[in-house]
Amino acid sequence: MSKSVILKSSIAKKYWMAFTGLFLCLFLVGHLLGNLQLFYAGEEGRRAFNEYAYFMQHNLLIKVMSYVTYLSILFHAIDGLLLAFQNKKARPIQYAMNKASANSSSASRQMALLGSIILIFIATHMVNFWGKMHFGEIPLHTYNVSMPGQMGQVQESSFYYTHDFSVQPVPVVKEIVVKNELELYIKNPEIKVGEGYKDLHSVVMGFFGKSANGNDVNELAWLAVLLYTISMAVLSFHLMHGFASAFQTLGLRHPRYTAIIKNIGMGFAIIVPATFAAIPLYIFFK
Amino acid sequence: MKLTLKIWRQSGPNDKGQIVTYPIDNIEGNMSFLDMMDVLNEELIMKGDDPVAFDHDCREGICGMCSLFINGEAHGPDRAVTTCQLHMRKFSDGETIYIEPWRAKAFPVVKDLVVDRSAFDRVMAAGGFVSVNTSGNTVDANAIPISKINADKAFEAATCIGCGACVASCVNASAMLFVSAKVSQLALLPQGKVEATERVLNMVRTMDEEGFGNCTNTGACAVECPKEISLDNIARMNREYFKAMLTSE
Ligand code: HEM
Ligand code: SF4
Ligand code: FES
């Protein structure tokens, strides 16, 4: 088989769209299951979510999967836009009168537009959460901290530290350093005094509603929630056509199963984005 | 019936072309759409104007020559008919009807409503055939047993008349329905299996080279196809191509 067939032929490009698209559907399920923890309120929810975020960043298998996901999004977007560009060229002169609604769904005809909006969403979403988690300043959620010279264990988050510990709501006897991203040490002599997770939970809460310390509302939260919800609606339309379409592309069509696949695709396209959108709505209105 | 026709007029391949409005009267419901075009052309000729060029031949839905994009749909608003089988009773008195040529880069306009569909011929020449020994010991095609199911499916695929309505209707100007019908009608039969791998690779390569768009599975083609060619054929071609891609040398 020649390279030009696998990368350049129209049908092979479509296999790539279908494989990456279906893989991204799996990714959506995984991502959604993780996000569901945001419904889990209070300090316990905060701890559970932050530990989960830590796990997601450090588990080897998940690291591998995340790279496959980045590549899939990139490939799906580039390939999709390339196909859309070729398709535009295939009809240089438009009809004066075109009743396309008589023969096809608008989602099926607007996959590239819907996809481009999703791409913008993914980019901003990654700057807001993924980027902060990986490269940004993120508050630490600390617990089990015990200070030498102080008594006993300090439970949960009576501490609120930033990375550089400029905010220190409790008196700290000694300078504290973070190692391995989750262990707190004092220096000279180096003693482990507790644990702290990057507090992604508070970042999310602050983004869509109440800020980390619980009370004041982010002025622009309504906008974030609105744009998030619109993006999920766009994703929903992309999947209403995309899910079943991928099976057709891969030649998986059969009088007995195609109706079932279409129904599953419809259900998936409604339930998954709606549940994603419910989370910021819940945070905002609760 | 009194109608207002808005027809694409283009004097030749290099003319820019434009929509021209023609009022027409005394159209009967039992006329075919092409009869109506004939009435218009007679009037134009009487007036000394250039008649509207359009393709037609059999006028009974079997040759695939007629090819008008009528009121935003290939072969007009009716289902499972060609333009020549479309009756004027599908329209109402006083209606405005847009009549345009197939629009696709691969189907350049020759004149008015006539487009050059030889891209389909080149796709066929690339693999839409079976090689047969004709040196005197040709085997009777019916000597090989074929399952009834496959024979029916092959026959259904073979009813494609190559009109190009699928390309015209597709938002991407994709020729997948036509090409998949031609690939399927042979892939389903034992005689066609011999050259199946090269056939699908060559026909799809030619399809791409001719400048047709890529399929997004909108399904518009199968809805507008006068012969109701099924999307099953596209899925079958996708399977055939997958096999061929992985196994060809
Ligand atoms: C999580 C995000 C996404 C998911 C789950 C997803 C899923 C899918 C699926 C399942 C298909 C159907 C493939 C087929 O018909 O064979 C598809 C098609 C498509 N996607 Fe996405 N997609 C996503 C994001 C994007 C992005 C960011 C773009 C960027 C432009 C995009 C552009 C397209 C295009 C243009 C098509 C149509 C391809 C074609 O049929 O030729 N998608 N998508
Ligand atoms: S598949 Fe249908 S619409 Fe396309 S060329 Fe054949 S008969 Fe015409
Ligand atoms: S003229 Fe032959 S199919 Fe219409």
Side-chain angles (χ1 to χ4, degrees):
Chain A
M1 73 196 153
S2 71
K3 241 194 239 137
S4 70
V5 168
I6 282 195
L7 285 173
K8 293 205 193 119
S9 98
S10 59
I11 297 187
K13 280 209 207 81
K14 290 254 5 201
Y15 297 145
W16 285 110
M17 288 309 287
F19 281 130
T20 52
L22 286 180
F23 178 78
L24 290 176
C25 288
L26 279 181
F27 154 77
L28 287 181
V29 173
H31 192 352
L32 181 60
L33 290 179
N35 284 11
L36 283 180
Q37 298 177 83
L38 289 163
F39 279 123
Y40 184 24
E43 278 304 295
E44 270 181 38
R46 183 173 168 202
R47 180 167 172 179
F49 185 75
N50 287 338
E51 280 180 14
Y52 163 75
Y54 178 85
F55 167 76
M56 293 304 281
Q57 227 182 355
H58 293 84
N59 181 287
L60 183 68
L61 185 67
I62 287 172
K63 251 203 156 99
V64 172
M65 289 302 271
S66 71
Y67 283 109
V68 179
T69 308
Y70 305 146
L71 280 179
S72 290
I73 293 174
L74 216 64
F75 207 96
H76 187 85
I78 293 172
D79 200 30
L81 292 175
L82 207 71
L83 285 166
F85 181 69
Q86 285 179 340
N87 291 345
K88 275 270 166 301
K89 277 206 315 198
R91 171 161 301 132
I93 302 171
Q94 298 299 317
Y95 292 106
M97 170 69 136
N98 194 352
K99 222 170 128 200
S101 59
N103 53 40
S104 51
S105 73
S106 52
S108 73
R109 283 177 271 120
Q110 300 296 349
M111 289 301 275
L113 177 67
L114 296 169
S116 303
I117 298 172
I118 300 170
L119 190 62
I120 295 168
F121 168 78
I122 294 175
T124 51
H125 186 72
M126 284 181 79
V127 169
N128 289 333
F129 301 114
W130 177 90
K132 275 192 198 142
M133 189 67 185
H134 281 76
F135 310 114
E137 291 273 295
I138 233 175
L140 283 185
H141 179 203
T142 59
Y143 44 87
N144 295 339
V145 180
S146 58
M147 291 295 170
Q150 290 191 335
M151 289 282 82
Q153 296 238 311
V154 184
Q155 284 303 317
E156 298 297 320
S157 69
S158 49
F159 293 87
Y160 184 68
Y161 295 118
T162 61
H163 245 346
D164 58 5
F165 296 92
S166 52
V167 181
Q168 298 176 347
V170 287
V172 171
V173 206
K174 296 208 168 180
E175 189 191 353
I176 291 184
V177 290
V178 186
K179 286 193 164 179
N180 306 325
E181 291 187 51
L182 82 165
E183 290 165 342
L184 306 180
Y185 286 84
I186 53 164
K187 280 185 177 166
N188 320 316
E190 200 163 85
I191 303 168
K192 184 175 170 189
V193 293
E195 288 166 71
Y197 285 91
K198 285 186 176 177
D199 196 2
L200 188 64
H201 185 271
S202 297
V203 173
V204 175
M205 294 298 157
F207 196 80
F208 292 121
K210 297 183 179 57
S211 83
N213 42 35
N215 301 319
D216 41 47
V217 172
N218 171 5
E219 306 253 288
L220 286 175
W222 67 271
L223 186 63
V225 173
L226 184 70
L227 290 178
Y228 192 97
T229 310
I230 292 173
S231 304
M232 287 307 109
V234 169
L235 178 64
S236 174
F237 283 113
H238 196 75
L239 294 176
M240 276 186 197
H241 174 68
F243 190 95
S245 172
F247 286 84
Q248 166 79 359
T249 299
L250 297 174
L252 302 171
R253 185 184 178 90
H254 187 280
R256 215 168 18 238
Y257 308 122
T258 296
I260 301 172
I261 292 170
K262 283 190 177 160
N263 287 336
I264 294 175
M266 232 6 155
F268 188 94
I270 292 168
I271 292 166
V272 171
T275 317
F276 266 114
I279 294 163
L281 286 168
Y282 170 76
I283 295 171
F284 186 74
F285 286 111
K286 91 173 161 200
Chain B
M1 237 191 303
K2 221 182 177 138
L3 298 164
T4 306
L5 304 178
K6 290 190 172 284
I7 302 181
W8 182 259
R9 299 303 309 260
Q10 179 174 343
S11 62
N14 300 321
D15 182 26
K16 240 186 93 221
Q18 59 178 344
I19 297 270
V20 178
T21 308
Y22 300 96
I24 192 167
D25 203 352
N26 299 323
I27 297 301
E28 314 242 334
N30 55 6
M31 285 181 174
S32 83
F33 201 85
L34 296 188
D35 292 341
M36 189 270 297
M37 294 298 289
D38 292 338
V39 171
L40 172 72
N41 275 347
E42 273 166 26
E43 284 177 13
L44 290 178
I45 291 166
M46 296 301 266
K47 279 195 279 183
D49 285 347
D50 191 21
V52 181
F54 62 91
D55 262 330
H56 60 106
D57 189 9
C58 69
R59 298 212 178 192
E60 54 181 341
I62 54 171
C63 74
M65 275 310 279
C66 56
S67 49
L68 300 182
F69 204 78
I70 301 160
N71 262 357
E73 287 183 78
H75 297 301
D78 211 356
R79 293 286 170 255
V81 294
T82 52
T83 300
C84 58
Q85 299 169 294
L86 175 65
H87 283 98
M88 291 313 294
R89 58 175 161 275
K90 290 285 160 188
F91 301 90
S92 42
D93 191 35
E95 201 172 333
T96 300
I97 306 177
Y98 278 82
I99 308 170
E100 297 174 75
W102 288 172
R103 293 288 187 203
K105 180 167 166 262
F107 289 164
V109 171
V110 178
K111 185 170 194 272
D112 296 336
L113 303 170
V114 176
V115 296
D116 178 356
R117 281 170 283 180
S118 56
F120 270 8
D121 301 338
R122 291 186 287 276
V123 172
M124 289 304 278
F129 52 81
V130 286
S131 303
V132 173
N133 183 348
T134 54
S135 63
N137 37 12
T138 310
V139 179
D140 178 5
N142 292 331
I144 308 171
I146 298 169
S147 85
K148 171 76 171 130
I149 294 176
N150 280 355
D152 286 351
K153 285 183 184 164
F155 182 81
E156 276 167 27
T159 59
C160 164
I161 53 179
C163 64
C166 42
V167 175
S169 314
C170 174
V171 65
N172 311 313
S174 163
M176 286 283 278
L177 194 63
F178 166 77
V179 179
S180 69
K182 299 305 172 191
V183 164
S184 288
Q185 78 186 40
L186 300 173
L188 282 160
L189 301 177
Q191 292 92 335
K193 297 244 193 287
V194 183
E195 293 155 306
T197 303
E198 306 87 75
R199 174 182 307 113
V200 70
L201 290 175
N202 291 339
M203 288 180 82
V204 169
R205 198 194 57 243
T206 312
M207 170 182 90
D208 292 347
E209 284 167 1
E210 291 292 340
F212 294 106
N214 309 284
C215 177
T216 4
N217 301 326
T218 70
C221 51
V223 174
E224 302 289 354
C225 171
K227 298 298 157 187
E228 302 186 291
I229 299 295
S230 157
L231 296 178
D232 293 353
N233 293 299
I234 296 188
R236 183 178 298 106
M237 179 161 79
N238 288 343
R239 291 196 294 274
E240 287 285 316
Y241 196 86
F242 201 78
K243 261 189 289 180
M245 191 175 84
L246 296 181
T247 57
S248 75
E249 314 222 313

